[in-house]
Amino acid sequence: MSGYEFNFDGLVGPSHNYAGLSSGNVASTSNAGQISNPKAAAKQGLHKAYTLSQLGLKQGLIAPHCRPDFEALKRLGFSGDETTLLNKVSKQAPELLAACYSASAMWTANAATVSPSADTEDGKVHFTAANLNNKFHRSLEPEQTGRILKKIFRDETIFKHHTHLPAGGHFSDEGAANHTRFCSQYDQTGVEFFIFGRYAFQKDMPAPVKFDARQTKEASMAIARLHGLNPSKTVFAQQNPAVIDAGVFHNDVISVGNKNVYFFHEDTLLNKEETLKEISEKFGDHPFHFVEVPRDEVRVEDAVKSYLFNSQLLSINETDMAIVVPEECKNNENVWNYLQKLPSLGSPIKEVKVFNVTESMKNGGGPACLRLRVALKEEEIKGVNPRSILSEELYKDIDSWIDKHYRDQIHPDDLRDPALANEVRTALDELTQIMDLGSIYPFQMI
Ligand code: SUG
């Protein structure tokens, strides 16, 4: 294999809680108000990343955001010292407190869209932080995400960081959750595939009716322009609006791609035949595998419940891939039956690996949501902050840091407790030292 795919997993933040903030995301709304376990959540995610790194896969980590977002609360008119402010907001607008306390930055598939250097005009690796405009709690993420990405991918001769797209629904962008890339080798030019949910400017185009489409075509096209992608190697396609209404709020809940494989549900795309033909033509001569899961075997509802497609397709050698699925796939008979026969269907997917990321799943985040893929050439790795790459030493340091700082339960009422805000700050201050990130949080910049 030449070139590498790194998976940068989001470290679950110390304020992980269930606030029911994401309409259209069935797990988030149905688990609202439950007691969360931040310590278990962080350990589940770290364990997944470390286990994969032990199998020889390239893994990195992305630091959590500082919460609550006091700056946002102040902009919304809450004032006073922290205790007073928390007291006021919890009484007057508990929904704002919950939103400003969300640990949603853990789902780094939504942190940014990344284009590897082999695809871009200037030969740099391009990042555009996602504006996450569609949900208030997530719209608080892009600045901090941008700062963190710059500290990780820090060599400006190798990496190019773009500011998130302008605010407002027209350029609503949810990052790599609505983007995938096909290639023969990670360091070779690939086909970048953008999947959007609606058009921003054109009227009378198909769109979901029950839930919002979180990605516009205009946002995807702006990113392709910013990254200098070659139109003959770029494909844009619309997600089937009916699946968005069925709870597929990001395309990575219904399909995933890697190298020469596209694993997708029969109902994923609006114009399926045309899109698959375009991918195939733009991919070129190499064999390509469309692994289409029929609705007769796995219903969209099964996919939403089990997160079968929110899986990681990982190349384990030159030709074979493993599919990393959440434990919830075992609890769904249709999905589990399908997964058992998948390795014998003749595609490169030869192995199924099951991980427990239940704490994240209860907010609608499976294995694929928890990671941002960055394909790098051998010589580009030196431009990455080494303390962001997961080694045994970093794993041990982070694991003990979690033990030291994380609570093992958070009830929605706990968000009122000023001690929690202090605990988060103390933890993150120490983390920036462990991960050599410098000053990235607002409390470190005053
Ligand atoms: O944006 N959930 C996230 C889940 C993101 C999953 N990411 C991908 N599919 N790539 C979201 O809906 C719920 C938070 C809460 O309800 O407390 C939340 O933000």
Side-chain angles (χ1 to χ4, degrees):
M1 278 199 273
S2 62
Y4 302 96
E5 176 183 272
F6 277 74
N7 279 271
F8 279 84
D9 281 41
L11 196 47
V12 176
S15 69
H16 159 64
N17 71 96
Y18 300 121
L21 300 171
S22 283
S23 62
N25 168 345
V26 181
S28 154
T29 46
S30 55
N31 290 310
Q34 285 201 17
I35 293 173
S36 64
N37 185 334
K39 187 178 280 180
K43 291 208 171 213
Q44 287 170 356
L46 184 65
H47 175 257
K48 169 175 90 72
Y50 185 61
T51 308
L52 294 175
S53 74
Q54 291 300 95
L55 295 173
L57 293 152
K58 302 284 186 195
Q59 270 294 156
L61 291 180
I62 298 186
H65 288 193
C66 187
R67 293 289 178 261
D69 187 334
F70 279 114
E71 285 66 31
L73 290 168
K74 286 177 190 161
R75 281 178 70 191
L76 296 172
F78 295 98
S79 56
D81 60 45
E82 276 182 14
T83 308
T84 314
L85 190 152
L86 289 169
N87 194 22
K88 277 190 204 162
V89 65
S90 63
K91 285 202 178 108
Q92 294 171 24
E95 63 288 354
L96 292 182
L97 181 61
C100 291
Y101 239 127
S102 178
S104 55
M106 72 175 83
W107 300 295
T108 50
N110 305 118
T113 306
V114 186
S115 296
S117 57
D119 298 353
T120 64
E121 207 175 359
D122 63 1
K124 288 188 179 183
V125 184
H126 284 242
F127 294 80
T128 300
N131 62 23
L132 293 162
N133 265 193
N134 188 259
K135 299 278 175 269
F136 169 62
H137 69 293
R138 302 223 59 184
S139 73
L140 303 173
E141 296 175 35
E143 277 92 11
Q144 198 154 313
T145 295
R147 280 199 295 274
I148 295 174
L149 290 177
K150 282 182 193 154
K151 293 285 186 175
I152 298 177
F153 303 97
R154 59 189 185 184
D155 186 334
E156 289 175 13
T157 63
I158 299 175
F159 304 113
K160 171 86 187 153
H161 295 275
H162 301 278
T163 307
H164 51 282
L165 298 180
H170 287 85
F171 294 96
S172 181
D173 171 30
E174 304 263 331
N178 296 315
H179 169 260
T180 196
R181 175 177 186 260
F182 305 112
C183 60
S184 45
Q185 298 288 345
Y186 291 118
D187 59 358
Q188 306 293 307
T189 303
V191 172
E192 298 211 12
F193 183 28
F194 292 84
I195 310 96
F196 58 92
R198 67 179 169 96
Y199 292 79
F201 292 95
Q202 282 165 266
K203 304 273 177 264
D204 304 325
M205 299 302 274
V209 288
K210 190 171 165 200
F211 296 127
D212 290 344
R214 297 207 208 173
Q215 182 86 27
T216 65
K217 181 173 189 190
E218 288 75 0
S220 299
M221 292 185 82
I223 288 166
R225 275 192 299 272
L226 284 167
H227 292 196
L229 301 182
N230 180 347
S232 71
K233 288 285 189 187
T234 312
V235 177
F236 298 93
Q238 185 168 6
Q239 200 179 350
N240 177 358
V243 301
I244 297 180
D245 280 338
V248 180
F249 58 99
H250 286 139
N251 189 67
D252 67 2
V253 176
I254 195 91
S255 78
V256 56
N258 177 47
K259 281 193 152 181
N260 60 345
V261 173
Y262 186 42
F263 178 60
F264 64 105
H265 188 273
E266 182 176 0
D267 293 325
T268 307
L269 297 163
L270 187 60
N271 300 310
K272 186 179 76 178
E273 300 309 330
E274 249 168 60
T275 308
L276 301 190
K277 188 164 170 275
E278 193 181 343
I279 293 174
S280 201
E281 283 169 5
K282 291 189 169 172
F283 192 76
D285 291 340
H286 314 279
F288 195 93
H289 302 264
F290 288 109
V291 185
E292 178 170 355
V293 181
R295 70 173 83 85
D296 290 349
E297 292 182 49
V298 174
R299 298 162 307 166
V300 171
E301 191 191 328
D302 296 319
V304 170
K305 275 204 184 115
S306 67
Y307 266 39
L308 165 64
F309 297 93
N310 199 259
S311 44
Q312 292 179 251
L313 268 189
L314 300 170
S315 291
I316 45 176
N317 58 39
E318 191 63 45
T319 50
D320 298 341
M321 300 183 193
I323 184 166
V324 169
V325 298
E327 234 171 49
E328 284 70 4
C329 285
K330 277 189 160 173
N331 307 335
N332 182 298
E333 204 183 330
N334 293 342
V335 167
W336 194 237
N337 288 341
Y338 181 84
L339 276 173
Q340 277 170 313
K341 67 173 192 180
L342 177 59
S344 57
L345 294 180
S347 83
I349 308 172
K350 299 287 188 241
E351 239 181 83
V352 178
K353 291 191 182 298
V354 182
F355 280 87
N356 174 7
V357 287
T358 303
E359 282 286 322
S360 164
M361 282 289 287
K362 284 168 73 182
N363 254 338
C369 299
L370 285 162
R371 61 95 169 94
L372 180 67
R373 293 188 278 186
V374 184
L376 294 175
K377 295 181 178 168
E378 180 77 51
E379 66 273 19
E380 290 165 346
I381 300 173
K382 67 175 185 324
V384 180
N385 181 339
R387 287 297 280 177
S388 298
I389 296 178
L390 193 56
S391 58
E392 191 179 343
E393 191 194 340
L394 184 64
Y395 165 73
K396 285 185 181 154
D397 289 349
I398 302 268
D399 194 50
S400 348
W401 170 82
I402 296 168
D403 279 327
K404 182 170 160 196
H405 294 284
Y406 279 54
R407 293 191 180 188
D408 52 21
Q409 64 174 54
I410 290 187
H411 181 274
D413 289 343
D414 296 334
L415 304 183
R416 288 189 299 211
D417 176 7
L420 182 61
N422 273 325
E423 283 165 34
V424 173
R425 264 194 304 262
T426 307
L428 295 184
D429 206 27
E430 196 176 311
L431 184 70
T432 51
Q433 290 162 43
I434 297 174
M435 294 184 75
D436 190 19
L437 291 169
S439 297
I440 48 170
Y441 298 117
F443 70 85
Q444 296 174 317
M445 294 189 291
I446 12 169

